[in-house]
Amino acid sequence: SCRRVGDRIMKSDPSARVSKGKVVTAVFLKDIQIELRSRVVTNQVLPFAGLVMVMFAFALDNDDVLQRVAGGLVWLATLFSLFIIVQRSFAIDTADGALDSLRVAGIDLSAVFFGKAIALAIKLIALEIVLICSAVLLYRVDVSATGLVLLVTCVFCATSGLAFVGTLYGGLTAGAKGRETLLPLLLLPVVAPVLIAATRATEAAFGSGGAQTSEGWAWIGLLAVFAAVFGVGGSLAFGSLIDE
């Protein structure tokens, strides 16, 4: 059960302050184990994201257009899927009282933030790999060796930013009424820089519209700054948001 996470952590070292590393690991493993049992990403999110990519291919129905916008479509599908994954993760924790149990147990909630963010990032990366492969097959984009390096870096930096923001805002809306619609309304304006920067970097990696690979690295810098800001800010703010 999710609500037993705090008890297991405290029992592992009842006489001393539990280290952040143990909390991060326990929360991460809990979220991953829930996913392995429920297979929400595999059975629901992946088919949804794949359907979005296929529908775009039918709607645009032009190889030149699809190749130019392939990067944006990958990240739009990722963003839509992010809402589903975040809502599912925090809905389970709220219903099972896991967050309340961790708070009452005196657990450092910044470690909970990082544990959930890492688990969310792993799920998103698995999704993005499928989406990028779909873009290569459906939209016939080509990726060079230097473009692949740029693309991998883009995925890492953009996913980190999305995971931190998704975890922060997921905690903010966890106990709110109408969180299914509130989360996208709050999250969309915040992740706009990630969507823009990741799209531009991916277009450079794909060589869309004659873009050069070197043009994408400036956008990687923006993604890295975004991830760092929300990683630090989220870890500081997450505890107070959950307490409220």
Side-chain angles (χ1 to χ4, degrees):
S1 175
C2 296
R3 68 189 311 168
R4 295 174 185 165
V5 172
D7 294 337
R8 289 201 301 267
I9 296 172
M10 296 304 291
K11 287 178 181 178
S12 66
D13 192 5
S15 62
R17 184 180 178 85
V18 181
S19 67
K20 285 188 177 182
K22 289 183 179 179
V23 179
V24 171
T25 302
V27 174
F28 165 75
L29 291 177
K30 182 264 295 181
D31 277 12
I32 294 299
Q33 286 172 359
I34 290 174
E35 169 55 33
L36 292 176
R37 291 172 183 172
S38 63
R39 297 184 180 179
V40 171
V41 173
T42 304
N43 296 337
Q44 297 180 28
V45 178
L46 276 176
F48 167 77
L51 184 60
V52 169
M53 299 290 284
V54 173
M55 292 302 292
F56 275 128
F58 282 122
L60 297 175
D61 194 23
N62 185 298
D63 288 345
D64 292 336
V65 174
L66 285 171
Q67 288 173 3
R68 287 201 304 269
V69 301
L73 298 183
V74 167
W75 290 105
L76 274 176
T78 300
L79 189 58
F80 293 154
S81 303
L82 173 68
F83 301 143
I84 301 174
I85 299 174
V86 171
Q87 288 172 354
R88 166 70 178 175
S89 175
F90 280 93
I92 293 175
D93 287 347
T94 302
D96 208 335
L99 293 177
D100 291 334
S101 298
L102 292 172
R103 186 178 69 250
V104 172
I107 300 299
D108 189 343
L109 292 179
S110 66
V112 177
F113 170 81
F114 284 115
K116 294 191 72 64
I118 294 171
L120 176 57
I122 295 297
K123 298 173 190 177
L124 288 176
I125 288 174
L127 172 67
E128 288 156 6
I129 291 173
V130 175
L131 291 177
I132 291 171
C133 292
S134 299
V136 172
L137 294 174
L138 293 174
Y139 308 154
R140 299 178 183 177
V141 296
D142 296 321
V143 184
S144 63
T146 55
L148 182 60
V149 174
L150 174 62
L151 185 60
V152 170
T153 308
C154 174
V155 166
F156 175 79
C157 293
T159 303
S160 299
L162 291 176
F164 288 140
V165 174
T167 302
L168 178 62
Y169 280 81
L172 175 63
T173 60
K177 294 182 179 179
R179 60 178 175 266
E180 292 80 6
T181 54
L182 182 60
L183 179 63
L185 287 174
L186 294 176
L187 203 54
L188 276 172
V190 180
V191 298
V194 176
L195 178 62
I196 295 170
T199 297
R200 296 294 179 269
T202 304
E203 287 175 349
F206 288 163
S208 302
Q212 299 297 317
T213 304
S214 57
E215 299 173 9
W217 290 105
W219 296 105
I220 296 296
L222 176 60
L223 291 172
V225 170
F226 185 94
V229 169
F230 275 92
V232 174
S235 65
L236 296 175
F238 188 76
S240 60
L241 293 177
I242 297 301
D243 287 337
E244 295 177 2

